[in-house]
Amino acid sequence: MDSTSSSLSCPSTPQWNLDRPFLTGHFHQETKSSSQLAASKGFSTDSFDPAIEKAIGSYHASVQELIVIDDLLSALVGIEGRYISIKRVRSKADNFTFQVDASMDLALQESAKRLFPLCESYLVINQFVESRSQFKTGLVNHAFAAALRVLLLDYQAMVAQLEHQFRLGKLSIQGLWFYCQPMMGSMQALSIVIRKASANNNVGSTILNLLQSQAKAMAGDHVVRSLLEKMTQSASSAYLGILERWVYEGVIDDPYGELFIAENKSLPKESLSQDYDAKYWQQRYSLKDDIPSVLENAAGMILTTGKYLNVMRECGHSVQVPVSENSKLISFGSNHNYLECIKTAYEFASGELLNLIKEKYDLMGKLRSIKHYLLLDQGDFLVHFMDIARDELSKKPDEISVEKLQSLLDLALRSTAAAADPCHEDLTCYVERSTLMKTLSMLKDLEVNQTVFDGSDLEEPVSITGLETFSLSYKVQWPLSLVISRKSLMKYQLIFRFLFHCKHVDRQLCGAWQVHQAVRALNTQGTAISRSSLLCRSMLKFISSLLHYLTFEVLEPNWHVMDNRLKTAKSIDEVIQYHDFFLEKCLRECLLLLPELLKKVEKLKSICLQYAAATQWLVSSCIDITTIDMSSNGSRGLEKLKQLKLRKPSQALKLDSENASVTDSILKFEREFNSEVQSLRPILSSGSRAEPYLTHLAQCILSVGRDQ
C-alpha cells in the first residue's frame, strides 16, 4: 500500500495530454478541456456532455479506458460509476454484484471484472466495520473493527494515490491492476473471516478462532498470514485485558460475556455447608464451549487460578498476583510467553490459598477434630454420653428431644478429655428419620448397587429408635467448607452411625456377658446357661472383631495415607481430591457401599441385640430367683446375681425339664447366628478377589463359629 506513491508509473501507461484531470466518480470536464480532448481524438464536444447519457461503446476504445478507470477508482471505495453499477444481493447483506455496460469493449470488461473481487471485499469490510462498532457487539469486535478501520484508511490512501496518478494521466487499466493486485489476497482473506463472523453473529473468542484458522489456511502466503496475525493480535488485546483481570485478580470484568469462563451467581458459597448436592466449586465458575484455540490446553489452569483468587477475596484476604512488565498478557505470541505468565499466576494463587486454609483456618486441626468425634478416634466422651443419654436414645426418633440430647452431649464433652479440644463446641447432635440402609439407598451419587436393596430393606422397622438414627454433625465455615462440604460431612455421618450402632451392640453384649460371669460360681455345666455363655462369647468376639477391623484396619491406615498426602498437596483441588478419596475408600471398606455384606452384618447385629435383650429372661428362667432388674446398666441386677454365690447350687438350679423352652430359645439364637456368620464365607471369598481388604475382614470374623 505504501509502495504506491505519487510517482506511480507503468511502462504501458499512455500519456494523456489533458489540461484538466478527470474527477473520480464524476467523469466530466469543463467545456474547454472536453473540447481539447475531443478535438485531439476527432470527436465532437457534445459527446462529452454530462447531461447526455450515451452507451460507453459509442466512444473510442482509448476513451472507454479512461471512463472505466474512473469508474473503477470509484468502485474501489464503494461508489457507483457511470457504467459500473453496484447492487446488493437480496437476503444477503454482505454479498454484492457488479455490472458493466454491455457495450463496453470486451477487453476492458475482463480487466474490470478482475478488480471486482477487491471492490466487493472493501464493501464487505467497510460494512462490517460500521456494524461491529456498535456498543452491543462486544470488545473483541470493537478492537477488530478498529484494526480494520486502520487498514481501510491505508487502502483508501492507496486508491487516492492511484487517482492522483490518473489525474496526471499516468495510469492505465493494466497499471491499475498491477498496483491493486497485492491487496487482493489480504482483502479477500479478511472478507472470508468477516462473512463467517457475520453469518453466525460471532463475538469474543469465536472471532479470534476465525482469524487464527484463516491465518493457518494462508500459511503459504507470508504477507496475508502476517496481516491476519496482526489482526488477531489487535482483536485479542481487549480479550487479554479481560483475561488478565481474571488470572491476576480473580475478577470477571466482562460486560459482554465474551470470556470463556461463566459465572453462576445463583450458587452462594453457603450452599457448601447446607446442600448435599451443592455444586458451588464445580459450577460457580465453569468453562464455556467457545475457548480460544491457543488457550485450549491452559483453559483449566486459567479457570482454577481465578477460582483460587476469588476464594481469597471472599475470605476478605486481599491478594493480587505480582505483575511485572514481562508478565503482562500482551498477545498470543508464537513464543508462548503468555502460557508462562498463566502458569506463574496459577502457582502463586494455588500456594497462597493453600497456605491460607492450612495456616489461618487450620484445616488439619479441623479434620483431626472430626476424626476424634465422628470416627470415634477418642471415644471416652461417647461412653459417657451413651450412659447418660440411654433413656432418651431408646425413644422413637419422633419422640426424641434433640435439645436434651445436645445438652447431654455438651455435658459429656465438658466432663471428658474432649474439653481440651478448642473445636468441641462445633459438635452438634442430629437425629435422622430413617435407617442407615434406607439413607444409603437414597444417596444416588454413592457407588452403591441399588439393585441389591429390595423392598424389605427400605421399609422402616416398627421398633426403630434413636440408637439406630442418632448422629453427630459438625459446624464448618467458609472456606473450609470447600474441603469439608455437606456431602463430605454426610459421608462422615454414615460411618459414624455404623460405628455408633456397633458400639451399642458391643455394650449390650458386654452387659449380657457380665450377667453370665456373675453366675459362674453356680454349677451350670450341662445347662442352658453354659450354652448361652458360649453363644454370648461368640457374639462378643464377632462384634469386637468387626469394630477392630473398622477402626484399626480401615479408618486408621487410610487416615494416615490421607494425612501424608495432604502434607504434600500443592493445591486446594488436590486437597479436595485426597479427602474425597479417603472418604470413598473408608465407606467402601466399612462395607457401606457393599449392600449385600452390609445386610448380613445388620442382620447379625439384630440377632445380637435380640439375644442381649433376652439374656435377663434366659438366666432368670434357669435360676430360682425373682426377676432381676437389668436397667441402669445392670448394676443392681449384678449385685443380686452375685448374692447367689452364697446359696447352694442344688437349691438354685431348676429341673432340666423346666428349662426346655429356655434351651430351645438359646439354640434358636445359636442357629440363626451361626447360619448368618457362615453365609458370609462365600460372599467374602468371592469378593476378596476384587476387594483385597475383605480378606482382612474374613480373617477377623469367620473364625467366630469355630469357637463353639
Side-chain angles (χ1 to χ4, degrees):
M1 291 174 287
D2 294 336
S3 61
T4 308
S5 62
S6 57
S7 60
L8 288 171
S9 62
C10 182
S12 58
T13 304
Q15 299 299 316
W16 304 101
N17 297 320
L18 305 175
D19 293 333
R20 297 293 298 275
F22 293 97
L23 300 178
T24 304
H26 304 281
F27 178 66
H28 70 280
Q29 289 182 328
E30 294 180 2
T31 306
K32 180 180 178 181
S33 300
S34 300
S35 301
Q36 290 176 349
L37 181 61
S40 66
K41 297 298 180 180
F43 296 109
S44 64
T45 305
D46 293 339
S47 63
F48 287 90
D49 188 348
I52 302 175
E53 290 291 342
K54 290 185 178 181
I56 192 172
S58 63
Y59 297 108
H60 188 271
S62 56
V63 177
Q64 286 188 42
E65 183 177 0
L66 292 174
I67 299 170
V68 171
I69 293 172
D70 182 67
D71 278 7
L72 284 173
L73 289 171
S74 299
L76 285 171
V77 290
I79 302 173
E80 285 190 333
R82 292 180 65 189
Y83 299 102
I84 297 178
S85 60
I86 306 173
K87 294 183 179 180
R88 191 188 303 272
V89 178
R90 289 185 179 181
S91 73
K92 292 186 179 181
D94 54 0
N95 277 12
F96 302 88
T97 59
F98 295 81
Q99 294 180 347
V100 298
D101 193 309
S103 64
M104 185 185 297
D105 182 77
L106 293 178
L108 291 174
Q109 286 189 40
E110 292 301 319
S111 297
K113 288 177 181 178
R114 288 191 298 177
L115 287 169
F116 287 164
L118 180 59
C119 301
E120 184 178 8
S121 296
Y122 171 83
L123 286 168
V124 171
I125 295 171
N126 188 61
Q127 179 177 272
F128 181 85
V129 169
E130 292 178 359
S131 63
R132 295 308 173 98
S133 297
Q134 297 177 16
F135 182 79
K136 62 182 180 181
T137 57
L139 297 179
V140 174
N141 271 322
H142 292 171
F144 185 32
L148 290 173
R149 189 178 291 109
V150 173
L151 176 71
L152 291 183
L153 288 175
D154 200 10
Y155 170 85
Q156 289 165 352
M158 180 200 77
V159 175
Q161 290 174 349
L162 290 172
E163 181 185 352
H164 180 66
Q165 292 299 305
F166 176 58
R167 293 173 69 178
L168 294 176
K170 298 179 180 180
L171 187 67
S172 67
I173 191 74
Q174 292 83 6
L176 182 61
W177 165 250
F178 176 79
Y179 291 117
C180 289
Q181 193 173 4
M183 284 290 293
M184 295 279 286
S186 300
M187 296 289 280
Q188 284 184 304
L190 286 171
S191 67
I192 291 172
V193 173
I194 287 170
R195 281 193 171 98
K196 290 179 180 178
S198 299
N200 300 314
N201 198 27
N202 293 136
V203 295
S205 56
T206 315
I207 295 289
L208 302 180
N209 287 338
L210 283 173
L211 285 166
Q212 287 164 352
S213 62
Q214 190 64 27
K216 291 179 181 178
M218 303 301 294
D221 192 328
H222 175 72
V223 175
V224 176
R225 179 174 182 175
S226 177
L227 174 65
L228 290 170
E229 288 175 349
K230 288 180 180 178
M231 286 291 166
T232 304
Q233 183 174 340
S234 298
S236 63
S237 59
Y239 194 86
L240 286 169
I242 302 172
L243 183 63
E244 195 173 75
R245 287 213 66 189
W246 172 253
V247 171
Y248 291 158
E249 300 176 40
V251 176
I252 294 183
D253 185 10
D254 185 20
Y256 302 100
E258 296 172 283
L259 191 64
F260 59 88
I261 294 172
E263 179 181 10
N264 187 352
K265 294 183 179 180
S266 65
L267 294 175
K269 62 180 183 291
E270 290 77 15
S271 65
L272 283 169
S273 56
Q274 299 170 358
D275 184 6
Y276 177 82
D277 294 317
K279 303 295 183 182
Y280 177 88
W281 190 241
Q282 294 80 13
Q283 296 182 6
R284 175 59 188 251
Y285 298 101
S286 57
L287 295 176
K288 298 179 184 176
D289 293 331
D290 50 344
I291 302 173
S293 57
V294 295
L295 295 176
E296 282 183 348
N297 294 332
M301 187 185 297
I302 292 169
L303 172 66
T304 305
T305 303
K307 283 169 66 175
Y308 290 170
L309 294 171
N310 192 269
V311 169
M312 287 185 276
R313 286 197 308 106
E314 293 273 4
C315 296
H317 185 69
S318 180
V319 64
Q320 182 173 348
V321 177
V323 181
S324 63
E325 287 298 322
N326 294 331
S327 62
K328 288 186 176 180
L329 299 177
I330 300 174
S331 66
F332 298 126
S334 57
N335 59 358
H336 299 295
N337 181 59
Y338 63 95
L339 294 177
E340 291 298 323
C341 296
I342 292 169
K343 184 178 179 181
T344 301
Y346 167 78
E347 291 173 351
F348 174 83
S350 177
E352 284 291 310
L353 179 58
L354 198 58
N355 289 335
L356 183 70
I357 288 182
K358 280 187 174 182
E359 304 300 329
K360 182 177 179 180
Y361 293 96
D362 191 19
L363 172 65
M364 294 309 300
K366 287 287 185 182
L367 289 175
R368 280 192 292 270
S369 180
I370 291 175
K371 178 173 180 270
H372 292 337
Y373 302 125
L374 272 73
L375 301 185
L376 306 186
D377 181 45
Q378 293 180 351
D380 56 338
F381 85 95
L382 187 68
V383 173
H384 186 34
F385 172 74
M386 293 180 79
D387 286 340
I388 61 179
R390 177 189 179 95
D391 294 338
E392 195 68 25
L393 290 174
S394 299
K395 298 178 182 178
K396 294 182 178 180
D398 294 335
E399 300 172 356
I400 293 175
S401 171
V402 179
E403 292 77 11
K404 185 175 181 180
L405 279 182
Q406 184 64 50
S407 64
L408 293 173
L409 177 64
D410 292 338
L411 177 61
L413 290 171
R414 289 193 297 268
S415 306
T416 58
D421 182 6
C423 300
H424 78 271
E425 294 182 356
D426 294 328
L427 199 64
T428 59
C429 286
Y430 185 74
V431 178
E432 285 279 2
R433 292 293 181 267
S434 57
T435 62
L436 180 63
M437 296 283 282
K438 186 172 182 180
T439 302
L440 284 166
S441 69
M442 293 187 297
L443 300 177
K444 303 300 182 183
D445 64 305
L446 296 179
E447 296 180 4
V448 182
N449 184 2
Q450 302 293 332
T451 58
V452 178
F453 290 113
D454 53 33
S456 60
D457 299 322
L458 306 182
E459 292 179 2
E460 298 293 357
V462 178
S463 59
I464 185 173
T465 65
L467 293 164
E468 286 83 25
T469 59
F470 174 76
S471 182
L472 294 178
S473 189
Y474 202 87
K475 297 176 184 176
V476 182
Q477 303 297 328
W478 172 267
L480 293 183
S481 54
L482 286 171
V483 180
I484 313 170
S485 63
R486 182 71 190 92
K487 179 177 288 188
S488 297
L489 201 56
M490 173 64 83
K491 293 175 181 178
Y492 276 114
Q493 289 173 328
L494 291 172
I495 297 172
F496 171 82
R497 289 180 63 185
F498 189 51
L499 289 173
F500 181 80
H501 195 251
C502 287
K503 285 281 187 182
H504 166 63
V505 175
D506 182 65
R507 283 167 58 85
Q508 295 301 105
L509 288 174
C510 284
W513 178 250
Q514 288 176 343
V515 171
H516 286 88
Q517 292 297 99
V519 297
R520 286 181 63 185
L522 302 177
N523 185 12
T524 60
Q525 187 174 3
T527 66
I529 293 180
S530 62
R531 196 170 190 93
S532 176
S533 178
L534 288 174
L535 177 59
C536 185
R537 187 176 67 175
S538 296
M539 289 182 172
L540 196 55
K541 182 179 180 182
F542 163 75
I543 198 67
S544 300
S545 298
L546 179 61
L547 280 169
H548 179 275
Y549 164 77
L550 295 174
T551 53
F552 293 103
E553 298 201 29
V554 175
L555 298 178
E556 281 296 329
N558 285 321
W559 171 268
H560 286 297
V561 171
M562 180 191 69
D563 186 51
N564 292 331
R565 286 179 172 178
L566 293 186
K567 290 176 181 177
T568 60
K570 296 181 179 179
S571 70
I572 193 66
D573 278 298
E574 286 189 6
V575 170
I576 295 171
Q577 178 186 346
Y578 295 149
H579 183 244
D580 288 347
F581 180 78
F582 161 75
L583 288 174
E584 286 291 328
K585 199 165 188 290
C586 287
L587 282 173
R588 181 166 292 279
E589 294 186 8
C590 285
L591 313 181
L592 297 177
L593 302 185
L594 303 174
E596 187 177 9
L597 270 174
L598 183 60
K599 284 197 295 184
K600 291 290 183 183
V601 172
E602 290 296 309
K603 178 64 175 176
L604 282 165
K605 289 196 297 178
S606 176
I607 294 171
C608 291
L609 286 175
Q610 291 173 27
Y611 168 77
T615 300
Q616 175 187 350
W617 171 76
L618 293 173
V619 174
S620 61
S621 296
C622 295
I623 299 176
D624 189 17
I625 58 173
T626 57
T627 302
I628 301 171
D629 182 13
M630 294 295 294
S631 62
S632 302
N633 207 21
S635 57
R636 291 172 57 192
L638 289 175
E639 289 299 323
K640 290 185 177 181
L641 285 174
K642 290 177 181 177
Q643 295 174 7
L644 293 176
K645 296 180 181 179
L646 303 177
R647 300 186 181 185
K648 294 181 180 180
S650 59
Q651 295 175 344
L653 296 178
K654 295 183 178 180
L655 295 175
D656 290 342
S657 59
E658 297 177 3
N659 297 334
S661 61
V662 175
T663 304
D664 290 342
S665 298
I666 293 174
L667 288 174
K668 181 182 178 183
F669 279 123
E670 184 180 319
R671 284 194 300 270
E672 287 184 2
F673 179 75
N674 288 336
S675 174
E676 291 295 331
V677 170
Q678 293 306 316
S679 67
L680 282 174
R681 187 182 301 276
I683 300 175
L684 292 173
S685 298
S686 60
S688 61
R689 298 167 189 168
E691 310 286 355
Y693 58 85
L694 293 180
T695 304
H696 300 289
L697 179 61
Q699 292 172 352
C700 290
I701 65 176
L702 287 186
S703 60
V704 170
R706 302 171 191 162
D707 298 337
Q708 299 183 39

